[in-house]
Amino acid sequence: MTFTPHGKHLIAGEWIGTDTTFQSQPAHGPAHAFSHGTPELVNKACEAAEEAFWTYGYTTRQERADFLNAIADEIEARAEAITEIGTQETGLPEARLQGERGRTTGQLRLFASHIMAGDYLDRRHDEALPDRAPLPRPDLRMMQRPIGPVAVFGASNFPLAFSTAGGDTASALAAGCPVVVKGHGAHPGTGEIIAEAIHAAIEKTGMPKGVFSLVQGGNRTVGQTLVQHPLINAVGFTGSLGGGRALFDLCAQRDKPIPFYGELGSVNPMFMLPAAIANRGATLGEGWAGSLTMGAGQFCTNPGIAVVIEGPEAEAFVEAAREALSRSGAQVMLTDGIAEAYTTGAAKMGAQTGVQSLLTSMCDTREAKPFLFKVAAEDWLGNHALSEEVFGPLGLVLVVKDAAQMEQIARSFDGQLTVTLHMDGADADAARRLMPILERKAGRVLANGFPTGVEVCESMVHGGPYPASTNFGATSVGTLAIRRFLRPVCYQNIPAVILPTDLV
């Protein structure tokens, strides 16, 4: 099944074109023309979403679950076409797109099951005490309710799982919130075919047309208009620190500020403890290299920094990583811009005081090869630039003198999505001292694994203290993600006949 994009926006059930267009820039295959988004289209989509909320926000859990499952069905019905256009636009291999499609449909179905269980409603009831002295107590009930229309920005590195029908969209729709998606310019055709699947599910299940809209392309004004639109109640975003912070500030500057749930990436440090390094340093070095280069390093959980205690065992770990990285071939990056930023970031890293280059590469226009650097703790602590993310397969070995300095390094890190301990039994005391520090630094703490790969399940947390994300109490993966788009409402002495169905 071949898919040829028509290049239009989906606005409340209508495919709408505009006078100006932009060309996609695929890694291979044909380029296509797509209509530029406009503030007028954003306004129309937001108004339709608000109108749809009066119906969709009050649907039953069963109706919303059926809708989410229908979206998953329609995506699977377009499986081959999605893989074809997705690989062309992003350069990602077919197996990666197929796996990501499964993750996308899986999280839609997960949220369908989650809302049917009802636990997310957090229902509470304090019965009336009319005879209590000195004052009676009214009947009080509480439940989580949807907040209204939500804006979602597609991610560059996950064209399916974090974009048009990704986790932000799935959790917002599960909560009862209509969604307006700002598609990412790196994969507009993929966004369009997923929007077609959602549109088909809307028609199949009889949902209001304005429950979903997709606006493609456009300049910064389009995104600014979306996050500042008075009918938008929250924003979900996955992307760069600079872009996310700019949108976060716009949300805060509104007459009525709204929450901005931005997942902004991190360097995901690994702490390599002495016994683990001594017993299996070479294996750990090879494993790090594999995680570092997976998907050309274009994961927000890419483990960019390894912290080691100086000594021959650490050097063996470093050499094993260097050798494994040197065997890694060039990989196509998502966009020319990302590839250019990677090359620039690597050059900046190599020019920093005290940084030793262990492996350098020559990168073609849209291809990436690994870089590996080493730096002493003293030089790293005095230079914040060394802690900044370089999006791609770049690793930095941070060498410390002893366990005490390793703890000092741990305290110095900014917020992270993940931190990892590599440890053996003899490392337990050192790991125990690190744990209180690490759990304050990240949303997910791992032992003896690599953070690339995020399980979509009830207990996953994909978020962390700023700058990893803009809201440390939220996650963009896992069923807890639904809480971002709900708020508690207390009902006092409300007659049962007019209470929400889920409270009766």
Side-chain angles (χ1 to χ4, degrees):
M1 177 182 177
T2 298
F3 171 71
T4 303
H6 50 64
K8 297 180 180 180
H9 314 275
L10 178 62
I11 310 295
E14 295 183 59
W15 292 102
I16 300 175
T18 53
D19 293 335
T20 59
T21 62
F22 67 97
Q23 290 282 321
S24 63
Q25 296 181 318
H28 59 85
H32 302 282
F34 293 86
S35 294
H36 267 297
T38 64
E40 291 75 22
L41 285 174
V42 169
N43 184 63
K44 186 174 181 178
C46 293
E47 289 178 349
E50 174 68 14
E51 182 60 31
F53 180 67
W54 294 110
T55 301
Y56 186 70
Y58 300 89
T59 52
T60 66
R61 286 180 280 143
Q62 183 66 66
E63 289 170 331
R64 294 199 301 282
D66 290 345
F67 177 41
L68 293 171
N69 283 322
I71 296 173
D73 291 342
E74 293 294 336
I75 290 173
E76 291 296 353
R78 295 161 173 78
E80 293 183 7
I82 290 170
T83 299
E84 180 183 41
I85 189 70
T87 55
Q88 288 177 357
E89 290 187 321
T90 65
L92 295 171
E94 287 189 8
R96 159 68 191 275
L97 265 294
Q98 291 164 353
E100 191 180 333
R101 187 186 69 246
R103 173 176 168 175
T104 304
T105 57
Q107 60 196 11
L108 285 162
R109 299 191 194 283
L110 175 64
F111 275 109
S113 299
H114 182 67
I115 60 176
M116 289 305 299
D119 294 344
Y120 79 99
L121 294 168
D122 194 17
R123 289 171 285 200
R124 307 181 187 200
H125 183 201
D126 290 293
E127 295 182 355
L129 298 175
D131 298 324
R132 188 183 68 175
L135 294 172
R137 184 176 75 188
D139 183 86
L140 297 167
R141 298 171 187 260
M142 188 275 282
M143 185 175 69
Q144 301 289 334
R145 298 294 296 147
I147 61 173
V150 168
V152 170
F153 284 74
S156 64
N157 59 335
F158 278 87
L160 300 175
F162 277 93
S163 289
T164 310
D168 289 343
T169 297
S171 53
L173 292 176
C177 300
V179 173
V180 178
V181 171
K182 171 66 172 64
H184 198 286
H187 43 77
T190 310
E192 182 182 305
I193 193 171
I194 297 297
E196 286 192 352
I198 299 174
H199 179 53
I202 290 171
E203 294 189 325
K204 180 186 293 186
T205 57
M207 290 298 171
K209 304 291 187 185
V211 75
F212 175 85
S213 291
L214 170 68
V215 180
Q216 300 268 40
N219 55 28
R220 291 183 179 180
T221 303
V222 175
Q224 293 172 358
T225 301
L226 182 56
V227 301
Q228 292 193 304
H229 199 284
L231 296 177
I232 292 296
N233 292 271
V235 177
F237 173 89
T238 298
S240 68
L241 174 60
R245 183 54 194 255
L247 294 175
F248 173 84
D249 290 344
L250 289 173
C251 288
Q253 293 163 8
R254 288 174 38 145
D255 291 338
K256 294 181 180 179
I258 60 173
F260 179 84
Y261 297 107
E263 191 270 281
L264 309 179
S266 58
V267 294
N268 305 291
M270 302 186 307
F271 292 83
M272 322 300 290
L273 299 187
I277 286 286
N279 293 334
R280 48 195 172 92
T283 300
L284 289 174
E286 291 176 2
W288 182 36
S291 182
L292 198 64
T293 56
M294 182 184 298
Q298 297 170 120
F299 291 97
C300 45
T301 53
N302 191 37
I305 293 180
V307 185
V308 300
I309 297 176
E310 63 183 5
E313 293 88 356
E315 291 303 318
F317 160 80
V318 173
E319 179 58 22
R322 191 198 66 78
E323 288 185 6
L325 290 171
S326 68
R327 297 191 299 268
S328 179
Q331 298 182 69
V332 177
M333 301 200 83
L334 292 160
T335 68
D336 291 343
I338 289 174
E340 182 180 355
Y342 171 64
T343 302
T344 301
K348 179 180 176 182
M349 177 74 71
Q352 300 299 311
T353 300
V355 171
Q356 178 184 351
S357 177
L358 303 180
L359 179 66
T360 59
S361 305
M362 293 295 292
C363 300
D364 291 335
T365 303
R366 193 165 166 172
E367 290 187 333
K369 290 184 178 180
F371 286 83
L372 183 64
F373 299 98
K374 184 169 71 171
V375 68
E378 291 78 8
D379 291 315
W380 191 87
L381 286 167
N383 188 352
H384 188 271
L386 294 174
S387 66
E388 296 173 359
E389 180 183 26
V390 178
F391 195 60
L394 181 149
L396 175 65
V397 180
L398 205 171
V399 182
V400 300
K401 296 184 182 302
D402 50 29
Q405 193 171 52
M406 182 175 278
E407 291 179 29
Q408 181 186 11
I409 290 294
R411 292 176 188 274
S412 72
F413 274 107
D414 289 330
Q416 304 290 323
L417 293 169
T418 75
V419 292
T420 301
L421 284 167
H422 285 281
M423 57 177 289
D424 283 356
D427 294 315
D429 287 342
R432 194 176 294 114
R433 290 192 297 271
L434 280 168
M435 277 297 290
I437 305 170
L438 302 188
E439 69 179 21
R440 293 187 65 185
K441 296 293 181 179
R444 177 162 58 111
V445 183
L446 299 81
N448 296 328
F450 295 96
T452 41
V454 180
E455 185 71 24
V456 180
C457 61
E458 295 278 354
S459 53
M460 177 53 64
V461 173
H462 191 60
Y466 187 85
S469 62
T470 56
N471 189 307
F472 59 78
T475 175
S476 60
V477 179
T479 53
L480 188 62
I482 196 174
R483 291 296 295 270
R484 299 174 297 170
F485 308 120
L486 298 164
R487 66 180 181 87
V489 177
C490 179
Y491 301 85
Q492 181 170 327
N493 288 337
I494 301 297
V497 293
I498 62 171
L499 276 172
T501 304
D502 284 322
L503 263 181
V504 177

